[in-house]
Amino acid sequence: MARSLSESPDIAVLLPCYNEAATIGAVVGGFRAALPDAHIHVYDNNSTDGTALHAMLAGAQVVRERRQGKGHVVRRMFADIDADIYIIADGDGTYAPEDAEELVRTLLTERADMVVGTRRGVHDDAGRQGHALGNRLFNILYRAIFGPDFTDIFSGYRAFSRRFVKSFPAVSGGFEIETEMSVHASRLKLPVSELELHYGRRPEGSHSKLSTFRDGGKILWMFAMLMKETRPFAFFGTISALFMLASFGFMGPVLAEYFATGLVSRMPTWVLSTALAMISIMLFTAGVILDSVARARAEQLRIHYMSLAAPVSARDKTLPTTLDGKKAEAA
């Protein structure tokens, strides 16, 4: 049942972690100082360096998720935890906890379902060689396929409304989960916002788990799968056009010979071109049918989303207590 927002909203800070013992204590402490009334949840993903103990000693509620991968952890968090507003960040200390208050304020004042803390300068320097170029290329590809809603689809620092969290299917298993969140918002045309924030560097002794080529390949595969699921006509139509172009390429010389001589000397080429044309027509037909199915699924997701409480209704004017104890005013 949806929670009433007549009082200050219940805020949950979610920190998925894997071997972040060097930083998790300071991260938990930072969020406790920035949002004193929030509940801090650390989900430990099979760490071997004592991350869970450090998080617990810092005051976080710690749960273990045995399925390896950030997507599995986020799916478990979204299913387990009940709150009005969710803040998700990494446990590596690269995001500033003091920015969480501004994320919450933006979510409430703009009545958005997701606010993405875009990383300042990440397209110029992402901390590792090749990551800045990869960030830029994947963001360009995202906007070309799914729309112009986001400029930093890989940011792990976000604020969500309850209705976003409880309507998000979360099928990804790894680092591609942020891409899936963005596609979910674009697909349902949810109100979203971006807020440019400082992006720090990992401290000494902390190492990234992101593999440039392995995780880049998974994200590219996720792009293709999400396009197939959410825009099947464009997906199958593009493949269909490629098959038809190949068919015309083989068919052209055979037809030219036939019109000139009345003979078909390259029968295998003619059969191949005909087969390619038939495959193209079948792919086009599949795209048309699946497009109707995708629209029906989007309608169902949208109806479920609308059955949940909005972040701020007309009667809810109260924003969370700020660090200096004052109440922020609704815009």
Side-chain angles (χ1 to χ4, degrees):
M1 183 177 178
R3 184 189 299 271
S4 170
L5 294 179
S6 57
E7 303 296 335
S8 293
D10 184 12
I11 300 175
V13 176
L14 316 181
L15 300 171
C17 286
Y18 172 60
N19 286 342
E20 302 290 5
T23 55
I24 189 60
V27 172
V28 172
F31 277 107
R32 291 186 68 188
L35 298 170
D37 297 329
H39 302 282
I40 315 294
H41 302 268
V42 171
Y43 274 49
D44 178 51
N45 201 197
N46 304 314
S47 296
T48 57
D49 64 349
T51 294
L53 178 60
H54 283 78
M56 195 177 301
L57 292 175
Q61 300 176 39
V62 180
V63 175
R64 184 178 184 184
E65 168 54 47
R66 293 182 180 276
R67 290 188 178 88
Q68 196 67 46
K70 185 176 182 179
H72 294 304
V73 179
V74 171
R75 178 166 51 249
R76 176 86 179 275
M77 286 176 148
F78 281 9
D80 288 354
I81 300 167
D82 196 26
D84 299 316
I85 294 173
Y86 299 78
I87 302 283
I88 191 167
D90 294 338
D92 56 11
T94 53
Y95 298 112
E98 54 268 27
D99 290 332
E101 187 183 356
E102 192 57 34
L103 285 172
V104 173
R105 182 179 291 108
T106 303
L107 187 85
L108 293 174
T109 55
E110 297 191 10
R111 300 191 176 187
D113 282 305
M114 178 168 68
V115 179
V116 180
T118 59
R119 299 165 293 176
R120 187 177 295 122
V122 74
H123 298 320
D124 300 319
D125 180 11
R128 288 177 62 183
Q129 189 174 11
H131 282 202
L133 177 62
N135 267 285
R136 194 180 305 118
L137 293 178
F138 275 122
N139 277 281
I140 292 172
L141 183 61
Y142 181 93
R143 289 193 290 274
I145 297 175
F146 301 109
D149 292 332
F150 301 98
T151 59
D152 185 9
I153 58 170
F154 297 136
S155 172
Y157 202 9
R158 303 180 183 219
F160 305 98
S161 68
R162 184 177 188 279
R163 65 179 178 178
F164 183 99
V165 167
K166 298 304 180 184
S167 66
F168 177 54
V171 298
S172 303
F175 284 103
E176 61 273 25
I177 188 70
E178 282 95 358
T179 304
E180 190 186 353
M181 291 175 182
S182 301
V183 171
H184 178 67
S186 296
R187 180 187 191 186
L188 298 188
K189 298 179 174 54
L190 306 183
V192 296
S193 183
E194 289 188 327
L195 189 66
E196 188 177 66
L197 301 174
H198 173 70
Y199 182 56
R201 292 289 180 267
R202 285 174 170 271
E204 194 70 27
S206 175
H207 304 285
S208 174
K209 289 69 178 186
L210 189 66
S211 169
T212 302
F213 296 104
R214 184 194 62 198
D215 291 304
K218 287 183 178 179
I219 292 167
L220 196 58
W221 177 253
M222 175 57 71
F223 267 51
M225 291 300 100
L226 289 172
M227 184 180 178
K228 178 178 75 68
E229 295 297 324
T230 62
R231 302 191 60 201
F233 183 75
F235 181 83
F236 288 100
T238 301
I239 300 175
S240 169
L242 294 176
F243 271 88
M244 188 57 76
L245 284 174
S247 173
F248 287 156
F250 287 108
M251 190 182 294
V254 178
L255 287 176
E257 180 191 35
Y258 174 76
F259 288 125
T261 66
L263 300 174
V264 177
S265 61
R266 290 180 287 181
M267 185 58 70
T269 304
W270 174 253
V271 172
L272 175 62
S273 65
T274 304
L276 290 173
M278 292 179 66
I279 293 172
S280 172
I281 293 170
M282 287 190 289
L283 287 169
F284 182 83
T285 305
V288 171
I289 295 171
L290 292 175
D291 189 66
S292 296
V293 175
R295 286 175 182 272
R297 292 175 60 190
E299 287 175 4
Q300 292 177 345
L301 284 171
R302 181 78 188 178
I303 290 171
H304 174 60
Y305 157 81
M306 290 176 65
S307 70
L308 302 169
V312 178
S313 68
R315 66 179 186 281
D316 299 319
K317 301 293 185 184
T318 306
L319 297 184
T321 305
T322 57
L323 288 177
D324 58 3
K326 298 178 180 178
K327 296 286 184 181
E329 295 180 357

